Amino acid sequence: MARRPLAPRRTGAELYSAAVAGLTAVVGSAVLAGWFFDVRWLRSISPEWPTMKVNTALCFVLCGIALWNLSAVNPTRRQAATGRVCAGLTGLVGLLTLAEHIWGLELHVDNLLLTQAEAGAAHPGRMSTAAAASFVALSTTLLGLRADSLRLAWLARAAGLLPGLLGLLTIVVYAYGVRGLSGVAAFSTTALHTAILFMAVGTGALCVQTERGPLSFLAVPGPGRDMARRVLPLAIGAPLVLGWIRLLGQRAGFYGLEFGLAIFAISNVVTFTALVWASALRLNRMDKERVRAALGAAQLAAIVESSDDAIVSICLDGVITSWNAGAERLFGYSAREAVGQPVSFIIPADRSVEDARVMAQVATGQGVVQFDTQRLGKARDLIDISVTVSPVRNATGQIIGASKVARDIGPRKRVEAQLAASFKETSELNANLEQRVRARTDELTASNVALHQSAAQLERQKAELERSNRDLEQFAYVASHDLQEPLRAVAGCSQILQRRYQSKLDAPAEELIVHIVEGASRMQALILDLLAYSRVSRGDHEPKVVDAGLAFRQAVAGLQSIIGETAARVTAEALPSVKADPGQLTQLFQNLLGNALKYRGSSAPEVSVAAKRSGREWEFSVRDNGIGIEAQYFERIFVLFQRLHTRNEYAGTGIGLALCRKIVERHGGRIWLESALGRGSTFHFTIPSGDSQ
Ligand code: ADP
């Protein structure tokens, strides 16, 4: 079954109109019933008060029907026709009655439905002049209620003010004292419920499409309406209440007519001044707020305009309603080109579903949505943006659109891409590096293993060498020791032969014997030296703290004969204590001093010995003024059997300095020399100090 569209709903004012229409028709009908069935309280609220006339009640029924039909939200033609007919009939009765009143005519409208009787009344069924005029005015209002012309509609509603005011006037008179009615002929026969219904129908008619009439200021939203709604009840009520109070005072005899009027006037002045004062304050405050709001709005507009971000607002159907300078820069379209266009013209086809989803979400008021996406620029290029979409609401909180704030994230995307690329590159480099490091580590491990192997091999070779050295030394020792005995025999025998057979043999034989003797003694010297050399490693004593001066003096004592022969001067400074094998230290001095004397120059030898501290050892020097040595032989002379001269020039075995080096190195020291040919030599050697410094 097809659903009928929902009928537009009545506003509060229109609901009031409908209620008034119903009430008027019901009360009118009740009064008619009161007349027909003679129910007095229905005709008049109090027995002393005037009754509502039959015509009046009939007219109210017609007015009620007219207002009911015409106050419908969209009256059908039938409703409008019914309403107008009823209104016309009311007007007709009013006009005829007015004519009777004004010109004293007898048109028989008073007893249309029923002849009424009222004591002392000339025309008991006739409504008052005020009531007749009010029905004419009400009829005008109802007839013009749905007029197309704005002016007519306004004038018709203005006419509705008359019955309203006349009704109010009558009610007030009733309130102040029903006797008041008798003073004014036009009102004298007006019933209280008549007055109430006039006021009700008059205001009810004004409430149909209020915005089209003089009371529009109460209907159209705005500061005027707010102000009027606040002030109006007081402006209407205050004078009525003040008038009533003034009357009460006067009746009680507190004051006379003039004073009472003065009090009434002054209290009205005070009330309205207070009203004006309060309204002025409120208006000023509202104006300030308005100015502040306008400033805020202007500031907001300036911020939006100067923002670097693109700020675009759209209504719910997707049409662009604002487009700031940032949007012009980002998308390339001017505000003139963009505003009024559907926002879809900057959305790429593949993003339209996403946009629709976001807009649906925003439209349900689910708050702000933020996401990264792409849009089309004027050059139809894709622009990377980050968008924040928020709902836009009107003053009543209803969502009327959305604002979109877009930021260009192209540069950020590019940097991210670069970073990703360089990260990839770095990762590759890292992987490469790791591979190389692994390869290098493998190589190093391999060479380490090789090194260990060669170190072990070296260790083995060293041990081998040491062993063969020991064997050699053992051999040299054994050989020189064991050779000594037969050599001694050869030397002894050859010397005996030389002594006994001297001058008994011929010259060649004697020469041979001399050779044998010399050879044997040379061999003895060589063997003694070798023996000394091979003994160094074994050492007679373990190194201990010894006086180097004593060792020097013992060496000098051993060289006394040659010192004497050569008239040499051998001196020494004060020498320190050192940690050494005493015998070997004496031998060291003896060898160096012996050489200094042997390789003397033309002048008498001068040999001096000195020592200086160098860290944890002592450095000794043996200086002479002998023949000197060329620098190229500085290393060679320390090698076993290496000599720089022939036996004819200088006797010797070539073992002395090799022995010196062996002794020094055994003590953990070094030996070296400074010399130049013909300018003497200085031999240096170091020996660990005997103290713990
Ligand atoms: P030797 O003296 O038995 O020949 P050394 O080993 O003591 O053997 O000396 C080796 C060589 O060093 C000597 O042949 C000599 O030429 C040279 N020599 C050693 N001491 C001196 C020195 N004080 N002055 C000059 N030459 C020296």
Side-chain angles (χ1 to χ4, degrees), residues 27 104 110 132 177 212 215 260 319 401 433 485 500 579 657 676:
V27 172
D110 308 348
R212 300 183 77 195
L215 295 190
V319 173
L433 205 67
E485 193 46 45
R500 283 197 189 160
K579 195 169 183 194
L657 285 181

Side-chain angles (χ1 to χ4, degrees), residues 311-334:
I311 304 177
V312 175
S313 65
I314 55 171
C315 51
L316 283 180
D317 56 7
V319 173
I320 296 170
T321 49
S322 75
W323 185 266
N324 77 337
E328 290 188 341
R329 280 193 297 278
L330 185 60
F331 300 114
Y333 294 101
S334 69

Side-chain angles (χ1 to χ4, degrees), residues 92-112:
L92 187 64
V93 173
L95 274 175
L96 292 174
T97 309
L98 260 187
E100 286 179 334
H101 275 297
I102 295 168
W103 293 294
L105 300 174
E106 194 58 61
L107 299 173
H108 305 289
V109 283
D110 308 348
N111 301 319
L112 263 179

Side-chain angles (χ1 to χ4, degrees), residues 106-179:
E106 194 58 61
L107 299 173
H108 305 289
V109 283
D110 308 348
N111 301 319
L112 263 179
L113 296 177
L114 196 74
T115 309
Q116 298 144 67
E118 212 154 292
H123 300 285
R126 186 176 295 177
M127 66 176 78
S128 67
T129 318
S134 295
F135 278 124
V136 173
L138 266 183
S139 154
T140 314
T141 305
L142 291 167
L143 283 171
L145 213 51
R146 292 291 171 179
D148 290 336
S149 153
L150 272 180
R151 187 177 297 238
L152 260 182
W154 194 93
L155 284 173
R157 283 171 179 76
L161 286 171
L162 180 71
L165 284 173
L166 289 180
L168 180 63
L169 180 64
T170 314
I171 294 166
V172 173
V173 174
Y174 269 98
Y176 287 0
V178 76
R179 278 183 297 124

Side-chain angles (χ1 to χ4, degrees), residues 21 86 129 220 222 263 336 341 371 373 425-427 513 588 599:
C86 290
T129 318
V220 180
I263 287 181
R336 188 192 292 259
Q341 294 289 326
F371 59 102
T373 185
E425 206 174 310
T426 313
S427 302
I513 289 172
L588 179 62
Y599 299 107

Side-chain angles (χ1 to χ4, degrees), residues 464-477:
E464 184 76 10
L465 265 174
E466 277 173 355
R467 193 183 52 75
S468 77
N469 246 358
R470 269 198 310 278
D471 288 352
L472 266 175
E473 277 173 9
Q474 183 68 17
F475 169 76
Y477 175 75

Side-chain angles (χ1 to χ4, degrees), residues 592 595-596 598-599 624 627-629 637 642-645 651-658 681 683:
L592 292 175
N595 277 353
K598 182 161 58 169
Y599 299 107
D624 66 48
I627 58 172
I629 305 167
I637 56 172
Q642 291 297 325
R643 307 196 68 231
L644 300 182
H645 304 94
T653 57
I655 295 174
L657 285 181
S681 310
F683 282 82

